[in-house]
Amino acid sequence: MAGAAEDDRYADALATAERLLGTSLEPFLALGPGEPASGSDFARLATVHTFGDAWPRTEVLDTRSRALVSVTIAAVLGTLEPLRGQLRIALGNGVSPEEIVEVFVHVEAYAGAARAFEGYRIAREVFAEAARAKGDG
């Protein structure tokens, strides 16, 4: 059972995630059909570690830099749905589309063309989504 301090850490992590993503993370954390109750433990731990422990560490790497690193990691790993979220975070924290293209140039050089093209397809979708949101497309 989580204590009050743990509940506060989780609430803070959810608030950080919402600020970064521009949407609540909670709908994505709800238990699905057939999922055991312990699935919520995993979601809580991962959320607190990612958005409560790692992202707020802005003393050395600011949020913008962390966003670029996170886009690169997700692209290299080929985790496409997390990449979509990382791209949104990056664009929302001052990373330009041109800088993201340069990340993919570097991913291609070090992780290969197939991995880079696969991730870049997601980047193009997120660029289009951002343009629509701004009324540019």
Side-chain angles (χ1 to χ4, degrees):
M1 191 88 186
E6 288 180 45
D7 288 343
D8 289 346
R9 286 190 68 216
Y10 186 55
D12 289 346
L14 287 172
T16 297
E18 185 167 351
R19 179 179 53 77
L20 290 169
L21 291 165
T23 188
S24 175
L25 189 61
E26 290 180 276
F28 302 99
L29 303 176
L31 290 176
E35 186 178 358
S38 60
S40 62
D41 294 337
F42 165 73
R44 175 185 281 269
L45 289 168
T47 300
V48 168
H49 182 68
T50 303
F51 293 105
D53 295 333
W55 276 100
R57 295 175 54 91
T58 56
E59 298 80 25
V60 177
L61 280 182
D62 61 9
T63 301
R64 185 181 182 288
S65 298
R66 284 183 187 282
L68 275 170
V69 169
S70 297
V71 165
T72 305
I73 292 168
V76 168
L77 291 175
T79 54
L80 301 181
E81 282 311 306
L83 174 59
R84 187 181 308 279
Q86 297 307 324
L87 287 160
R88 289 174 180 147
I89 290 171
L91 291 171
N93 282 280
V95 176
S96 71
E98 292 81 8
E99 289 170 306
I100 291 170
V101 170
E102 286 302 314
V103 164
F104 281 97
V105 168
H106 219 61
V107 167
E108 189 281 328
Y110 283 91
R115 182 56 45 98
F117 272 110
E118 186 177 44
Y120 192 69
R121 178 180 55 80
I122 301 299
R124 291 179 66 183
E125 292 173 10
V126 174
F127 293 158
E129 170 188 290
R132 282 190 302 275
K134 287 186 350 185
D136 294 343

